[in-house]
């Protein structure tokens, strides 16, 4: 009984009206404009990178309630991914790791909902890989891996798995 609820989110930095909007979205997504909620979350995430992890948890929770469709989040998620694919972000390994991880998780679904934006995103990723001004070898490896992952139909081929993960112990 003394355990904190798992559904509690760090939304204290928002004004009272926005906090209420987010609480309602988490309890009953159908009662709010999900595009507005998504834009609020994305805008705050872009201003405060520490909030980004919390934002992802909130968006995931909103999507899971009543199997709500992800449509309202498609463009804001793409906006975040495009931000992570900019040259200044690609120079930071943790941001490249975040980009690749999210594409592994939701890339296929995003592409089904808006293939043109995925094509545009992968042009940025490809350019970032080909013009490695200050990219670490790990960042280059991660970018190459996600390019191959998408090219293989959002699946890891046995050869790719062996190449990219041969140094990882189970």
């Amino acid at each position: 009984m003394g355990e904190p609820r798992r559904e509690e989110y760090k939304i204290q930095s928002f004004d009272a009206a926005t906090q209420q909007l987010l609480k309602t979205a988490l309890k009953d997504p159908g009662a709010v404009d999900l595009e507005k909620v998504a834009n609020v979350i994305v805008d705050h995430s872009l201003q405060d990178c520490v909030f980004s992890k919390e934002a992802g948890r909130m968006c995931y929770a909103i999507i899971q309630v009543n199997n709500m469709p992800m449509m309202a989040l498609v463009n804001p998620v793409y906006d975040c991914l495009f931000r992570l694919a900019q040259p200044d972000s690609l120079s930071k390994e943790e941001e490249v790791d975040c980009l690749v991880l999210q594409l592994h998780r939701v890339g296929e679904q995003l592409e089904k909902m808006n293939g043109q934006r995925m094509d545009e995103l992968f042009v940025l990723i490809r350019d970032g890989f080909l013009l490695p001004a200050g990219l670490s070898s790990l960042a280059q490896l991660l970018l190459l891996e996600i390019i191959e992952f998408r090219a293989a139909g959002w699946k890891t081929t046995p050869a790719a798995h062996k190449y990219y993960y041969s140094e990882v112990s189970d």
Side-chain angles (χ1 to χ4, degrees):
M1 209 156 107
E3 278 183 46
R5 290 184 350 182
R6 226 186 136 138
E7 297 85 26
E8 291 180 8
Y9 296 93
K10 298 172 186 153
I11 58 173
Q12 297 82 13
S13 61
F14 291 100
D15 61 69
T18 304
Q19 286 184 32
Q20 188 56 45
L21 175 72
L22 294 173
K23 287 177 184 177
T24 303
L26 288 161
K27 289 178 187 162
D28 183 14
V32 296
D33 178 356
L34 286 178
E35 190 165 349
K36 181 178 180 182
V37 171
N39 286 330
V40 165
I41 292 171
V42 169
D43 290 344
H44 195 70
S45 295
L46 293 174
Q47 294 170 9
D48 179 5
C49 64
V50 175
F51 178 74
S52 296
K53 186 174 183 178
E54 190 70 12
R57 288 182 51 231
M58 290 172 64
C59 289
Y60 181 77
I62 291 168
I63 291 169
Q64 295 306 308
V65 176
N66 297 327
N67 276 333
M68 291 293 296
M70 200 171 110
M71 283 307 295
L73 298 174
V74 170
N75 285 325
V77 169
Y78 267 121
D79 292 344
C80 287
L81 295 175
F82 270 81
R83 179 64 192 100
L84 289 170
Q86 296 302 312
D88 63 317
S89 291
L90 293 177
S91 66
K92 301 173 186 152
E93 285 181 358
E94 60 275 0
E95 293 188 24
V96 173
D97 187 48
C98 180
L99 171 66
V100 170
L101 179 63
Q102 296 314 312
L103 284 169
H104 272 281
R105 289 182 176 168
V106 297
E108 185 174 13
Q109 294 91 340
L110 285 173
E111 185 165 38
K112 287 176 184 173
M113 293 180 188
N114 191 336
Q116 180 180 346
R117 282 204 77 189
M118 187 62 73
D119 291 342
E120 294 167 3
L121 177 62
F122 269 82
V123 166
L124 280 176
I125 292 171
R126 180 204 63 208
D127 290 351
F129 175 77
L130 293 175
L131 306 170
L135 285 186
S136 69
S137 57
L138 177 60
Q140 288 176 321
L141 183 75
L142 289 169
L143 292 176
L144 181 60
E145 190 270 338
I146 198 63
I147 290 168
E148 288 189 25
F149 185 70
R150 180 186 183 218
W154 300 101
K155 294 180 179 22
T156 302
T157 64
H161 188 273
K162 183 177 180 184
Y163 179 78
Y164 291 107
Y165 302 106
S166 63
E167 296 295 318
V168 178
S169 61
D170 291 316

